[in-house]
Amino acid sequence: DMAGFASDVRVSPSGNYISALRSPELLKTIDYAGPNSVVGLVIVDISDVNNIRAVREAYLSGPEAVLAFCWLDGDRFVYVSYDLTVVTGSASASPQQDRVIGRVDARGQGFGGFDVHPDGSTMLVKLNESDSSSDIYLYSSTGDFLDRMTAVDQAYAPLWSPDGSHFMFKWGSSSGCLPATCGGTSGSTCTGFYAASHSRNLEYSQA
């Protein structure tokens, strides 16, 4: 039972832990997306079904609020906080052993999510432009900008393949509702693309 509002639920590669981003239930009392946002992290040990327990359970606020989380190999993880600090740790270790390894250089754009390469060396980062467009960029694991991966203006949800040889992203509208489910006239559509990891500045015809 994850008290509060839990989202982005993920299972660790080892299968021993479940993670989720965690916000208070009374979201109306906080600035969810702003500098006063409150988004923490909960990690639950599920390795023993007779002793399921939370090993990490925290609300983090302000600059330390969690924007995005990703499992690495085994039980290691990395997350990016509101001030774009990159933090790494292990579910089997205490929070005091977490380590800051860098900061994402968003170059004046909005951070919109990330995924870490299986070998931990690089990250795919979604950046949001001021005109609401977005694309996927390549960063080092410490947050340094390396290159541009897509040039399609509506790319989101970047994801490496398990072996790191390819990457995937979605394109299109990620909001709205389908007429069949809500009776509305507008719909939400998206298309999935994948390409080799060495690709750069991808347009639709190349992915």
Side-chain angles (χ1 to χ4, degrees):
D1 180 7
M2 298 179 185
F5 175 79
S7 62
D8 196 22
V9 179
R10 302 183 182 213
V11 180
S12 69
S14 69
N16 291 329
Y17 297 92
I18 291 177
S19 67
L21 299 187
R22 183 168 181 254
S23 303
E25 293 180 17
L26 300 177
L27 291 176
K28 292 181 180 179
T29 66
I30 62 173
D31 181 7
Y32 182 73
N36 298 317
S37 60
V38 180
V39 183
L41 179 64
V42 57
I43 298 179
V44 180
D45 185 343
I46 59 171
S47 59
D48 180 357
V49 295
N50 296 313
N51 184 30
I52 295 176
R53 59 192 179 90
V55 295
R56 184 175 299 219
E57 202 168 5
Y59 287 128
L60 300 173
S61 60
E64 295 183 338
V66 181
L67 280 180
F69 175 95
C70 182
W71 286 107
L72 300 177
D73 59 294
D75 300 323
R76 296 189 308 123
F77 59 79
V78 61
Y79 68 82
V80 176
S81 60
Y82 185 83
D83 64 358
L84 302 186
T85 298
V86 184
V87 179
T88 187
S90 172
S92 58
S94 69
Q96 288 72 31
Q97 292 180 269
D98 289 356
R99 185 168 52 94
V100 173
I101 59 174
R103 189 176 184 192
V104 176
D105 176 15
R107 306 191 305 161
Q109 302 180 63
F111 177 89
F114 78 126
D115 190 49
V116 181
H117 191 279
D119 68 9
S121 63
T122 56
M123 304 186 294
L124 296 173
V125 176
K126 174 199 172 189
L127 293 180
N128 305 314
E129 299 275 5
S130 58
D131 61 359
S132 298
S133 64
S134 61
D135 268 301
I136 308 303
Y137 297 82
L138 185 67
Y139 278 75
S140 71
S141 60
T142 56
D144 298 318
F145 174 83
L146 296 177
D147 219 331
R148 182 172 182 164
M149 302 295 280
T150 68
V152 294
D153 295 331
Q154 278 189 306
Y156 64 99
L159 186 69
W160 291 107
S161 65
D163 65 358
S165 64
H166 290 73
F167 75 100
M168 174 186 160
F169 64 95
K170 293 181 181 179
W171 173 85
S173 171
S174 60
S175 61
C177 56
L178 296 175
T181 60
C182 68
T185 57
S186 63
S188 172
T189 60
C190 65
T191 303
F193 291 85
Y194 76 95
S197 59
H198 59 73
S199 304
R200 299 292 186 270
N201 295 300
L202 281 173
E203 297 181 359
Y204 306 111
S205 60
Q206 300 169 309

